[in-house]
């Protein structure tokens, strides 16, 4: 914010929760730049209330909260924060994978509740990570960084993406396959796709039927890629063994949500990029994108560069 404030007059929303829609709508009338969070819905209706808007800088790598075609149509450049959170997000995906495999949260709850009475041959038996098969859905930067970690654990790695990347396949020694085969072969499945119309509920009841009964699902991408109610049924009926989620639909997940009645699910509150270092880099990047856009220059990380490309 220091970087932003030294360049322009910025009005900041300081509330602990996102600004209500009507407050956001009222306050955009005269702005030229908007620094948004992934919790702010920036759609055509809002852009129409901001006729002077030149740039939207999203403090996130994902930008499904912004209507990009609507921004492009209005000549508004959009920036995001790719790269700087890749390793941090991959760390959390692997943390969730291991925590689910070894039932870490259940174990902690047992101890705190005073139920740890003795060492037991059958106590909290989990699954081995080493040597298991990992299925990566979406081999972008974060998916590839998870693959690097999995290699260190001697995992066999399969991936599915709409675009096959033979170069990365060779570099990482991983194997391309279709989604159904990945679901049926993998012991662990980790999701790293963008949220689009095509990936909405990509993993639902049909997919849980295909997965192994011992299968573990990890999601650190966007909640709506997984059909949460189908996941609840699959976990409850032991169609799959476990899920570990950093993202949910909706967010926040209400404390009374059926998923939270289950022991075989771990949910954390969308914290995959939440390290001091990554969030600092994201902030600086978002500030730089905003400032460039305000100057009418190409932001360092544009989502729709065609807006400022000449000719
Ligand atoms: C993102 O950047 O899209 C993450 O979900 C939050 O850091």
């Amino acid at each position: 914010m220091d970087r932003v404030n030294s360049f322009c007059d910025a009005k900041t929303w300081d509330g602990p929760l996102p600004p209500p829609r009507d407050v956001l709508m009222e306050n955009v009338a005269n702005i030229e730049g908007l620094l948004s969070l992934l919790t702010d819905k920036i759609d055509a209706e809002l852009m129409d209330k901001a006729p002077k808007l030149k740039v939207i800088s999203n403090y996130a790598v994902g930008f499904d909260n912004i209507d990009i075609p609507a921004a492009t149509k209005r000549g508004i450049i959009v920036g995001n924060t790719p790269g700087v959170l890749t390793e941090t997000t991959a760390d959390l995906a692997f943390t969730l994978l291991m925590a689910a495999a070894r039932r870490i949260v259940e174990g902690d709850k047992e101890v705190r509740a005073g139920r740890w009475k003795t060492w037991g041959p059958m106590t909290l038996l989990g699954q081995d990570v080493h040597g298991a098969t990992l299925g990566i859905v979406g081999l972008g930067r974060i998916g590839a960084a998870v693959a690097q970690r999995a290699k260190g654990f001697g995992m066999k790695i399969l991936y599915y993406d709409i675009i096959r990347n033979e170069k990365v396949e060779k570099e990482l020694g991983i194997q391309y396959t279709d989604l159904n085969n990945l679901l049926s072969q993998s012991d662990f499945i980790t999701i790293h796709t963008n949220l689009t119309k095509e990936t909405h509920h990509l993993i639902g009841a049909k997919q849980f039927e295909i997965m192994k009964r011992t299968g573990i699902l990890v999601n650190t991408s966007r909640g709506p890629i997984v059909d949460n109610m189908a996941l609840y049924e699959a976990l409850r009926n032991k169609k799959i063994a476990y899920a570990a989620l950093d993202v949910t639909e909706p967010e926040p997940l209400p404390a009374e949500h059926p998923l939270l009645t289950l022991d075989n699910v771990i949910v954390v509150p969308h914290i995959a990029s939440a390290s001091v270092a990554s969030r600092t880099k994201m902030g600086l990047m978002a500030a730089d994108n905003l400032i460039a856009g305000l100057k009418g220059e190409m932001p360092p990380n544009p989502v729709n560069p065609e807006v400022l490309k000449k000719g």
Side-chain angles (χ1 to χ4, degrees):
M1 284 313 299
D2 287 346
R3 200 174 276 198
V4 171
N5 286 326
S6 67
F7 182 79
C8 59
D9 287 334
K11 200 167 177 181
T12 312
W13 172 258
D14 288 326
L17 296 178
R21 176 86 176 162
D22 55 331
V23 174
L24 197 55
M25 295 284 264
E26 272 164 32
N27 280 275
V28 295
N30 286 311
I31 63 167
E32 289 171 88
L34 180 63
L35 201 156
S36 52
L37 303 189
L38 57 83
T39 43
D40 302 315
K41 186 175 171 203
I42 314 295
D43 56 9
E45 192 194 7
L46 187 127
M47 292 175 206
D48 285 341
K49 296 270 180 211
K52 297 183 189 159
L53 192 58
K54 296 203 286 199
V55 55
I56 301 166
S57 171
N58 211 35
Y59 177 79
V61 63
F63 44 81
D64 48 282
N65 58 311
I66 302 174
D67 184 338
I68 302 297
T72 305
K73 200 170 142 200
R74 288 162 181 76
I76 302 169
I77 188 91
V78 179
N80 70 337
T81 65
V84 290
L85 46 71
T86 299
E87 300 296 333
T88 304
T89 302
D91 283 348
L92 189 93
F94 221 80
T95 303
L96 288 177
L97 184 154
M98 296 199 72
R102 299 305 302 272
R103 305 177 62 184
I104 296 301
V105 175
E106 287 175 86
D108 182 75
K109 279 187 196 152
E110 288 291 295
V111 176
R112 286 171 198 268
R115 289 192 293 263
W116 182 17
K117 301 294 181 206
T118 181
W119 182 89
M122 300 298 280
T123 301
L124 287 172
L125 300 187
Q127 295 182 38
D128 281 334
V129 173
H130 68 272
T133 298
L134 174 67
I136 299 176
V137 180
L139 191 76
R141 283 177 292 257
I142 299 170
V146 172
Q148 292 279 16
R149 285 152 179 77
K151 273 175 68 180
F153 278 78
M155 297 180 93
K156 176 179 172 189
I157 306 164
L158 306 175
Y159 82 97
Y160 164 74
D161 201 308
I162 42 167
I163 301 164
R164 184 169 176 180
N165 189 336
E166 292 184 42
K167 187 171 168 271
V168 177
E169 252 169 67
K170 284 202 189 90
E171 276 165 20
L172 295 174
I174 66 179
Q175 203 181 310
Y176 182 76
T177 185
D178 62 58
L179 182 59
N180 284 354
N181 191 48
L182 178 145
L183 294 170
S184 68
Q185 299 297 315
S186 301
D187 300 304
F188 298 88
I189 292 161
T190 182
I191 303 176
H192 300 287
T193 57
N194 291 337
L195 174 60
T196 61
K197 269 193 215 119
E198 290 70 35
T199 61
H200 183 265
H201 287 190
L202 181 69
I203 307 295
K206 266 195 206 153
Q207 288 67 34
F208 294 125
E209 288 293 339
I210 302 172
M211 278 176 67
K212 293 185 182 183
R213 285 193 165 251
T214 50
I216 292 179
L217 179 75
V218 177
N219 189 10
T220 53
S221 56
R222 284 293 183 263
I225 294 171
V226 176
D227 178 344
N228 256 356
M229 287 317 291
L231 174 62
Y232 166 70
E233 291 299 335
L235 289 166
R236 194 171 68 109
N237 298 319
K238 305 276 186 286
K239 296 216 152 139
I240 68 168
Y242 230 99
L245 311 172
D246 178 48
V247 288
T248 58
E249 182 187 31
E251 280 183 23
L253 194 68
E256 60 281 3
H257 192 281
L259 267 178
L260 300 177
T261 62
L262 303 174
D263 285 330
N264 53 346
V265 65
I266 298 170
V267 185
V268 293
H270 203 148
I271 54 168
S273 67
S275 73
V276 175
S278 283
R279 288 285 167 86
T280 304
K281 288 180 201 154
M282 286 166 66
L284 294 174
M285 213 169 193
D288 288 344
N289 284 335
L290 180 80
I291 292 167
L294 287 172
K295 287 181 182 163
E297 292 169 5
M298 186 70 86
N301 292 281
V303 171
N304 54 349
E306 60 275 22
V307 167
L308 291 178
K309 279 199 181 131
K310 305 268 178 313

